[in-house]
Amino acid sequence: MSLSLGAVVLNVPNIETSAPFWSQALGYDARPDNPAFLGPKDSHGTRLHLDETDRTHLDLWVDHRTSDLETEVARLVGLGATRVEWTYPPNADFVVLAAPDGTIFCVIE
């Protein structure tokens, strides 16, 4: 498979107060440069990204050994996903899609 579940983006009311709970609950470590990014101690597995402004959603990461962003977006669109109008930053490394049921998710390069 050319996509993996890289992160769950979790909407929280306050990163500073939420991060210690989720870190301890999951046994994850916060990245030193960004305490909102929590990950397994061995660096393998799905990360948890805490966010105060974004909705809860999945981040699917492209495996560059076997595919690329546009190929995976086209594959998902072929399965029924649709592109979501979004304000992208310059040089964005992601595309926002909606599953056939309307659930928003990101595909990240």
Side-chain angles (χ1 to χ4, degrees):
M1 181 58 56
S2 296
L3 290 175
S4 63
L5 180 56
V8 174
V9 178
L10 182 64
N11 179 267
V12 297
N14 183 294
I15 292 169
E16 188 175 311
T17 58
S18 298
F21 171 80
W22 288 109
S23 182
Q24 291 174 16
L26 298 171
Y28 278 17
D29 288 331
R31 279 188 23 191
D33 61 330
N34 190 338
F37 288 8
L38 309 176
K41 293 183 184 301
D42 66 3
S43 298
H44 296 7
T46 303
R47 293 192 279 181
L48 180 65
H49 296 177
L50 305 177
D51 195 298
E52 296 173 359
T53 58
D54 207 352
R55 68 179 79 184
T56 297
H57 66 275
L58 302 178
D59 282 350
L60 305 181
W61 293 357
V62 175
D63 180 349
H64 292 285
R65 296 171 297 180
T66 58
S67 192
D68 59 62
L69 180 64
E70 286 307 318
T71 299
E72 290 306 311
V73 168
R75 184 175 73 83
L76 294 167
V77 168
L79 294 172
T82 55
R83 286 181 179 256
V84 174
E85 287 192 35
W86 203 262
T87 304
Y88 290 95
N91 301 315
D93 65 347
F94 67 97
V95 173
V96 180
L97 297 175
D101 65 2
T103 303
I104 301 293
F105 64 98
C106 293
V107 180
I108 300 178
E109 190 165 35

